[in-house]
Amino acid sequence: MTTATPPMPAAVSPALSTLAQQALPVLYQHRLVATSQLHRLLTPHTRRAVYLRRQLSILRSLGLAASTERRGARSGPTLGRSELLWYVTPRGAEVVEHDGQITPRAYRISPEAAASQLQEHTRSCVETGLLFTEWARHLGDECGPLDWEPELAHRMRDGDSRLGDDAFLIPDGVLHYTHTTPDGARKLLTFFLEVDRSTMHVARLGKKLSAYARYATYTPAPAGPGRRANSSPGREAWRDRYAKFPRMLFILTGASASSLARRIDDLRALADADPRLHRAGIAAGATTLDQLHQHGPFAPIVTPLLGSPGPCDVLLSPEPTSPDPSTTTRANVPPAPTSRLASQETRATTS
């Protein structure tokens, strides 16, 4: 069962349908989302997105959302139709923030940014979270449209600084997922997501790995004159946000399967050569967007970046919880045993 998108209060948006009220916070949180992605997120039970498109048009007519064409891409049943990418306007952001159910974000996407070369990276990040949501729906797990957040800043050194410098770790996404194991146990999982479209040298991915190691071991200095305490003294800063340090997943796309495999090998070599990463004891792995789509997160699709290169699932545990990906696909994974889960009390654990 996936987490439902909470509707917005009727007092805030009396003219909006339930679907429009669900779409607006999704656009606010994920910044730039394609019509096809919204269809899969919010109306997967419908074959066509006719009603969704109508509601998006209403949001646009009310000045709550806007759209731009995807650069260099054509899709849809009509040849030559451009795919639309949707985002909230400042007025739409005010409506979402008035609801109070989503953490307010200072960032506002502008029409210029929405039409820029950042489209493909943002779309790939949304696609990654969307695949986790679709597989959760398929497996009877929980991961809803608002259960991952893009670009959350995590301070990893003391001193005055601004967003964008090396004082902050900013993952592409932080995703929360509740997985029910075959024996009925529930695991509360958190992942740092890094989406790589093969547009940068692999050495830059190595620097990202080092940044995660710094964050894992960063202990803020004690509060003093003129210094505000941002964390409990004497312990790592991440413990104020997470029960356990999140697993790291690099999701690769944008090249052939053989090129991505070589890229993962290079990333493993960089990780092995980083002593800080070994000391931090971080659980990190890499896979491809295509493997995640085809086989799901609990098939052995992930290559650990430290230790044995043997494939595992997103838990980064030695024994995968699903069959080999050659026999586990979106088409033939059996449905989750919902009747058994409904009648059996389970205990949630953080893993």
Side-chain angles (χ1 to χ4, degrees), residues 104-274:
R105 306 290 295 266
Y107 179 83
R108 295 287 184 272
I109 190 167
S110 65
E112 294 76 18
S116 73
Q117 68 272 18
L118 296 176
Q119 282 185 355
E120 289 308 305
H121 181 74
T122 304
R123 191 180 186 281
S124 295
C125 291
V126 172
E127 185 67 19
T128 299
L130 172 54
L131 289 176
F132 273 95
T133 297
E134 288 184 319
W135 274 98
R137 188 183 297 137
H138 190 69
L139 297 172
D141 291 339
E142 297 176 19
C143 183
L146 299 177
D147 285 340
W148 79 93
E149 296 184 71
E151 298 187 357
L152 291 177
H154 300 68
R155 179 176 284 278
M156 59 181 186
R157 73 165 170 80
D158 296 320
D160 295 334
S161 54
R162 295 179 297 176
L163 285 175
D165 68 15
D166 65 356
F168 290 91
L169 168 71
I170 305 179
D172 283 333
V174 177
L175 181 137
H176 302 281
Y177 189 106
T178 302
H179 175 53
T180 303
T181 64
D183 62 1
R186 289 164 59 83
K187 292 180 176 290
L188 309 182
L189 308 172
T190 304
F191 299 95
F192 286 137
L193 301 178
E194 291 291 345
V195 178
D196 171 49
R197 295 182 50 251
S198 306
T199 56
M200 65 175 68
H201 193 276
V202 72
R204 291 186 62 184
L205 297 183
K207 290 183 178 179
K208 285 191 173 184
L209 271 173
S210 295
Y212 280 99
R214 287 176 56 198
Y215 178 61
T217 57
Y218 164 58
T219 301
R227 182 192 297 272
R228 181 169 58 91
N230 293 315
S231 180
S232 301
R235 69 173 189 168
E236 296 90 344
W238 65 263
R239 296 185 185 276
D240 288 340
R241 303 180 72 156
Y242 306 106
K244 180 179 179 180
F245 195 83
R247 294 169 174 85
M248 285 180 54
L249 286 178
F250 283 81
I251 312 294
L252 279 61
T253 186
S256 67
S258 58
S259 295
L260 296 181
R262 290 193 296 270
R263 199 166 175 85
I264 290 175
D265 288 342
D266 292 342
L267 189 55
R268 272 184 53 83
L270 289 171
D272 186 59
D274 189 336

Side-chain angles (χ1 to χ4, degrees), residues 252-333:
L252 279 61
T253 186
S256 67
S258 58
S259 295
L260 296 181
R262 290 193 296 270
R263 199 166 175 85
I264 290 175
D265 288 342
D266 292 342
L267 189 55
R268 272 184 53 83
L270 289 171
D272 186 59
D274 189 336
R276 186 195 294 263
L277 201 60
H278 285 274
R279 290 194 299 269
I282 293 174
T287 187
T288 68
L289 195 63
D290 183 63
Q291 286 181 307
L292 180 61
H293 175 267
Q294 292 295 327
H295 308 299
F298 298 103
I301 63 169
V302 178
T303 299
L305 297 183
L306 293 172
S308 170
C312 59
D313 60 21
V314 295
L315 297 178
L316 294 166
S317 53
E319 294 296 329
T321 58
S322 294
D324 185 88
S326 63
T327 60
T328 305
T329 66
R330 293 167 67 87
N332 62 26
V333 172

